[in-house]
Amino acid sequence: MTLIEAKDYVTRKLKSADVPDYLLESDLLLCKVLGCDRAWLLAHGDRQVFDHELEHLNALIDRRCRREPLAYIFGEAPFYGRTFLVGEGVLIPRQETEILVDMALSFAKEGVVLDWGTGSGCVILSLLLENPSLRGIALDLSPKAMRWAWRNVDRFGLFDRVVLWHESARLPNKWGDHGLDMIVSNPPYIPTADIGFLMPEVRLYEPRSALDGGPEGTQWYGFLFKNAPKWLKRGGLLLVEVGGRGREEAVLSMDHFGLVVHEVKRVNNSVSIVVFKNE
């Protein structure tokens, strides 16, 4: 089997499983098996695929046809110009969340940032890598997510600037003598009843705890609004990603426990970043 024939074979398999972007993903799977880029793949269409390569390719195809996310299959996902390790038990970084990093960097020049619901650690680690004056606390309820965050802290050599906090009991009433400079969060915001309608890659594989925002999708915003004033220093900021149609209005109308809306940035039709100030 040549690479041209292999690409046609992979494409047909993925298409039959209703995999989105099956043409692109057929190339990506072949590149993964061969250790090459797409340009090399296109230039060597007559190259023969060896038996051991085909065996590896079929194993990856089987996983993708079961709609396992490509990021889990490859064990990594891009975010903010870097590659983060991901896998079973952790939310896959989304491109729109990069705007949360952009906005945090525009405000935070130095100090301590808490990333509530850190997942893979992509947000807090991106902040620390972009701004050497920042230190971080990466908090998550999930032990599986914490393991992925640990791997990424190790990957980027940031153990001296970030604390990994697995919260399974009680949170502190305050953080340090003066409080945090900033809290960033991409909390679970999908209404419980909507989870069954998500695409299979998300519904079947990504952790429900990172998706389920309660009946209205606002449960964890309420938690953050209640606690952020205790954790932040005066003038400190809370930045949250708000997703889903109508969620921005709902979040803005909630009790913010003294936090004041400082800025709202709409990323697209369904995602916004809302900045609150602790006055």
Side-chain angles (χ1 to χ4, degrees):
M1 179 185 292
T2 65
L3 282 179
I4 290 177
E5 293 168 334
K7 179 174 179 177
D8 180 64
Y9 167 71
V10 179
T11 299
R12 285 187 283 107
K13 286 274 195 178
L14 298 183
K15 186 178 181 181
S16 69
D18 295 322
V19 172
D21 299 323
Y22 54 84
L23 289 173
L24 169 63
E25 292 199 14
S26 64
D27 282 358
L28 296 178
L29 288 171
L30 282 164
C31 288
K32 183 68 173 178
V33 169
L34 299 175
C36 67
D37 57 28
R38 294 183 73 199
W40 188 94
L41 193 68
L42 294 172
H44 296 82
D46 58 350
R47 192 265 212 193
Q48 291 291 315
V49 178
F50 299 112
D51 288 345
H52 72 279
E53 293 170 334
L54 185 59
E55 183 178 355
H56 185 194
L57 180 62
N58 277 321
L60 299 187
I61 292 170
D62 287 345
R63 293 175 67 182
R64 191 64 188 104
C65 285
R66 292 194 294 270
R67 305 299 293 272
E68 183 176 352
L70 204 61
Y72 282 7
I73 295 172
F74 289 174
E76 59 185 30
F79 185 81
Y80 216 79
R82 300 178 178 87
T83 301
F84 287 81
L85 302 176
V86 296
E88 187 269 329
V90 74
L91 189 74
I92 297 168
R94 267 61 169 179
Q95 186 176 6
E96 56 263 28
T97 305
E98 294 184 357
I99 307 300
L100 178 63
V101 176
D102 283 336
M103 293 192 70
L105 288 170
S106 72
F107 292 114
K109 304 308 177 186
E110 61 183 6
V112 180
V113 180
L114 167 67
D115 180 12
W116 188 90
T118 195
S120 64
C122 63
V123 170
I124 189 63
L125 298 183
S126 294
L127 290 174
L128 300 186
L129 289 164
E130 293 294 320
N131 184 344
S133 297
L134 295 176
R135 291 168 291 145
I137 301 169
L139 182 150
D140 207 288
L141 300 173
S142 165
K144 289 184 177 180
M146 277 280 91
R147 284 195 288 270
W148 287 108
W150 188 98
R151 291 172 182 140
N152 284 310
V153 173
D154 184 52
R155 183 183 183 89
F156 294 108
L158 289 171
F159 280 113
D160 60 333
R161 293 176 54 208
V162 64
V163 173
L164 293 170
W165 190 298
H166 174 219
E167 176 47 39
S168 58
R170 188 176 63 183
L171 285 163
N173 288 324
K174 63 177 184 176
W175 296 84
D177 293 333
H178 304 291
L180 300 166
D181 295 273
M182 180 180 288
I183 301 169
V184 294
S185 184
N186 175 21
Y189 54 66
I190 298 172
T192 304
D194 291 353
I195 291 178
F197 299 99
L198 298 174
M199 60 192 302
E201 286 83 350
V202 179
R203 184 181 75 248
L204 299 177
Y205 289 94
E206 294 196 75
R208 189 184 182 101
S209 61
L211 303 170
D212 193 341
E216 305 300 326
T218 57
Q219 172 182 332
W220 295 110
Y221 296 107
F223 173 87
L224 287 167
F225 296 150
K226 183 177 180 180
N227 287 283
K230 298 185 297 184
W231 299 341
L232 289 167
K233 69 180 184 182
R234 186 172 297 278
L237 300 176
L238 166 66
L239 285 74
V240 291
E241 180 175 319
V242 178
R245 289 193 176 94
R247 198 87 63 248
E248 179 188 314
E249 182 178 346
V251 167
L252 291 176
S253 66
M254 295 173 69
D255 186 349
H256 301 140
F257 295 89
L259 296 171
V260 176
V261 177
H262 185 69
E263 185 175 341
V264 178
K265 183 177 181 64
R266 291 174 181 85
V267 179
N268 53 42
N269 289 333
S270 61
V271 175
S272 302
I273 307 298
V274 184
V275 183
F276 298 89
K277 189 172 185 179
N278 186 34
E279 295 189 338

